[in-house]
Amino acid sequence: MSLTPIGEPRQKITVATLREKKQRHEPITCLTSYDFASARLVDEAGIDMVLVGDSLAMTMLGHENTLSITVDEMLHHVKAVRRGVKHALLVADMPYGSYQVDAQEGLRNATRFVKEGGAEVVKVEGGEKRVDLVRRLVEAEIPVAGHIGLTPQSVNLMGGYKVQGKSLAGVEQLIRDAVALDRAGVACLYLEGIPREAAALVTAEVSAPTIGIGAGPGCDGQVLVFHDLLNLTFGPTAKFVRRYGDVAAEITNAVQAYRADVLSRKFPSDAESYHLPKETQGALETVLERKRAMRR
Ligand code: KIV
């Protein structure tokens, strides 16, 4: 396995790179990102895929679930992330309602993510029922990521965010969904919230690389939500989340220190202030002196 050390020059990641990594059993890394600054940091840290997930409805916009976010709102974020990403493969989530009506509308909206947002892959949730849509998108030269298992856009149908595929019938359905999407030509397949055994079976069954979240270590790659990774979630997280940093604590400390410095007049200092040029200062003093003399 060859890993590019952090900080070294990198190749552009494409959908072909993902397949090569699967064949070489080299883990694929993916993180969500929703704005220019975080996208730039994620890209520069060497992550393979940046996903502008519709999870931004919750993490960035404070909604209760992902259902209300629109294509235009998603595009606003995809464009910002596009400006921050150079090497990673840019995947954009198609929001709820943008592809469920029919494949024609799905194609029209997916085209916007590519043309206006600069996305290289679009992601849609759902298994067998998305085969027609996936074929239409691939025919239109748009790489597609599938997403099966716990699909957050089905939250109302599932009755909450529940691990999927726990029964034998559930595992068999997952495999049918994965194989159908694979045959339809998905570039990769996100597996969310399923038992690790089921994810490993799916991964062995399909040629498309699988990217897991809450799907155990047997996937070809892993994805986490940026805000979960960094403790920016304001509440309990799912079992599969591992925190790699505490940005909430960093931000709170910095903001409190700033507030205290303003209140105690320690900020800004003289070095943090602009100064008049000497000649302006001299002229100003003369004017002020004249005014004082007139008042006397
Ligand atoms: O929206 C999102 O962040 C996602 C990932 C959790 C896969 O779909």
Side-chain angles (χ1 to χ4, degrees):
M1 189 195 341
S2 67
L3 290 181
T4 308
I6 291 169
E8 278 205 4
R10 293 165 62 208
Q11 296 283 312
K12 171 79 188 101
I13 305 288
T14 66
V15 292
T17 323
L18 302 185
R19 296 230 167 207
E20 288 158 19
K21 283 184 180 252
K22 175 165 179 136
Q23 277 154 17
R24 292 198 300 262
H25 302 289
E26 189 179 321
I28 297 163
T29 55
C30 179
L31 255 187
T32 68
S33 183
Y34 316 110
D35 60 33
F36 170 77
S38 68
R40 210 177 143 155
L41 293 171
V42 167
D43 189 56
E44 288 175 2
I47 293 291
D48 296 316
M49 304 169 75
V50 171
L51 167 65
V52 186
D54 61 356
S55 51
L56 76 83
M58 299 162 84
T59 58
M60 296 291 286
L61 305 179
H63 291 294
E64 210 170 295
N65 57 44
T66 59
L67 299 179
S68 59
I69 192 136
T70 64
V71 170
D72 285 332
E73 286 172 314
M74 284 297 298
L75 269 171
H76 179 72
H77 290 267
V78 174
K79 288 178 191 172
V81 170
R82 176 71 282 169
R83 293 190 278 269
V85 169
K86 273 206 184 85
H87 298 99
L89 185 69
L90 180 55
V91 185
D93 240 343
M94 302 264 303
Y96 176 66
S98 70
Y99 58 91
Q100 283 86 351
V101 174
D102 59 35
Q104 189 66 15
E105 192 170 319
L107 175 56
R108 203 175 301 119
N109 284 319
T111 308
R112 288 192 68 195
F113 280 100
V114 175
K115 282 178 91 83
E116 297 173 40
E120 293 160 290
V121 179
V122 298
K123 176 161 86 57
V124 296
E125 296 185 5
E128 288 179 310
K129 60 186 168 199
R130 299 291 170 238
V131 162
D132 181 37
L133 172 67
V134 171
R135 286 214 186 98
R136 293 289 296 278
L137 297 181
V138 174
E139 269 168 28
E141 327 301 340
I142 301 177
V144 191
H147 182 163
I148 59 172
L150 192 173
T151 46
Q153 291 177 13
S154 326
V155 60
N156 290 330
L157 210 55
M158 292 182 304
Y161 298 105
K162 295 181 180 156
V163 174
Q164 302 293 302
K166 284 174 130 174
S167 64
L168 178 60
V171 176
E172 286 172 343
Q173 183 60 51
L174 278 173
I175 294 176
R176 274 199 299 277
D177 285 337
V179 168
L181 291 171
D182 197 38
R183 289 194 181 136
V186 286
C188 64
L189 189 55
Y190 285 82
L191 304 179
E192 178 166 357
I194 62 174
R196 61 179 287 178
E197 298 82 0
L201 278 175
V202 166
T203 300
E205 205 62 41
V206 295
S207 58
T210 59
I211 314 294
I213 176 161
C219 303
D220 297 307
Q222 298 292 329
V223 58
L224 275 180
V225 167
F226 184 82
H227 288 55
D228 287 340
L229 183 95
L230 296 169
N231 187 27
L232 282 169
T233 48
F234 305 101
T237 49
K239 170 191 173 111
F240 60 79
V241 169
R242 190 182 295 178
R243 251 179 213 161
Y244 286 87
D246 193 350
V247 171
E250 286 284 320
I251 291 176
T252 304
N253 289 340
V255 172
Q256 284 177 348
Y258 161 73
R259 178 172 179 270
D261 280 357
V262 172
L263 294 180
S264 62
R265 303 196 183 278
K266 285 192 190 138
F267 176 83
S269 67
D270 185 57
E272 287 154 339
S273 307
Y274 297 107
H275 293 87
L276 279 175
K278 276 208 176 70
E279 55 282 13
T280 313
Q281 182 68 33
L284 185 64
E285 271 160 23
T286 311
V287 169
L288 291 174
E289 183 49 41
R290 244 186 249 141
K291 279 193 177 159
R292 278 194 288 270
M294 277 162 57
R295 265 189 250 122
R296 272 186 231 126

